[in-house]
Amino acid sequence: MARADAAAKALLEKFSLDKPPIDPYGLAKQLGATVVPQNLASDVSGMLLRNDGQQVIGINQTHTKNRRKFTVAHELGHLLLHRGRPLILDSDLRINYRDSVSSMATDREEIEANRFAAALLAPEAMVRASAARVSAPSADDLVDALAREFEISAQAMSFRLMNLGIISGSGR
């Protein structure tokens, strides 16, 4: 099991979360992180600021509810898995941004944070159980039904189902 998957599973177990939807905002609070909606550039989904033992997750308030939810989960991945990247300022501040670069998932830490977010919001065991229970005439219908159940975007659910080998692809 990949480190990101194991960390997401451990977090779900720690807080006894065993059914969807998963609330990353509540988890952030339980981990001592404050989530703050921000006016950010349209290509920036969020950021994680760590300074003096405090953690603040800034999320782009103009993005959709599902995208903000994924962003919080993504930033929790950084919080739990990565020390953070230094930002050159006058203080010892560390920052991670979720932006157009991170969404392309070309950086190892960004790939890992995306994987953590997917495993947190759509845990494999829950997804498999739901997929077996749902009667859907097509892959797109399955994606839509599970996206509603897990309260994530259809695009995120489609990727999750493909990555878990439950569907081979969809028309999206």
Side-chain angles (χ1 to χ4, degrees):
M1 178 180 295
R3 184 171 91 121
D5 297 307
K9 184 177 181 182
L11 185 60
L12 293 167
E13 289 172 357
K14 178 178 181 176
F15 294 107
S16 302
L17 299 173
D18 58 3
K19 62 184 194 297
I22 303 301
D23 174 18
Y25 294 89
L27 287 170
K29 184 175 182 178
Q30 290 181 294
L31 293 172
T34 304
V35 178
V36 181
Q38 297 285 304
N39 287 320
L40 301 170
S42 62
D43 70 332
V44 177
S45 298
M47 64 182 115
L48 171 64
L49 295 141
R50 294 179 258 211
N51 190 26
D52 259 351
Q54 295 181 346
Q55 297 91 214
V56 177
I57 295 172
I59 58 171
N60 192 324
Q61 64 188 6
T62 66
H63 287 177
T64 66
K65 177 184 171 187
N66 287 337
R67 184 158 182 196
R68 291 190 311 264
K69 186 176 178 180
F70 190 89
T71 297
V72 172
H74 174 97
E75 298 306 339
L76 288 175
H78 282 305
L79 180 65
L80 296 173
L81 298 170
H82 309 129
R83 291 185 51 133
R85 296 186 190 109
L87 177 67
I88 302 170
L89 290 176
D90 291 334
S91 66
D92 185 23
L93 183 68
R94 294 186 174 272
I95 185 166
N96 292 97
Y97 280 104
R98 175 159 166 70
D99 57 15
S100 58
V101 173
S102 68
S103 66
M104 290 188 301
T106 55
D107 174 272
R108 183 192 59 78
E109 285 188 1
E110 295 305 322
I111 292 168
E112 196 168 47
N114 283 341
R115 184 171 182 150
F116 175 89
L120 183 70
L121 298 176
E124 181 174 1
M126 290 183 213
V127 170
R128 290 190 184 285
S130 292
R133 189 186 73 253
V134 171
S135 175
S138 71
D140 284 347
D141 291 329
L142 178 64
V143 167
D144 290 339
L146 295 183
R148 282 190 302 274
E149 180 179 351
F150 286 81
E151 295 182 4
I152 62 175
S153 70
Q155 182 183 20
M157 182 55 75
S158 182
F159 283 128
R160 186 67 172 146
L161 292 172
M162 285 187 278
N163 289 335
L164 292 174
I166 295 171
I167 62 173
S168 58
S170 76
R172 293 183 195 282

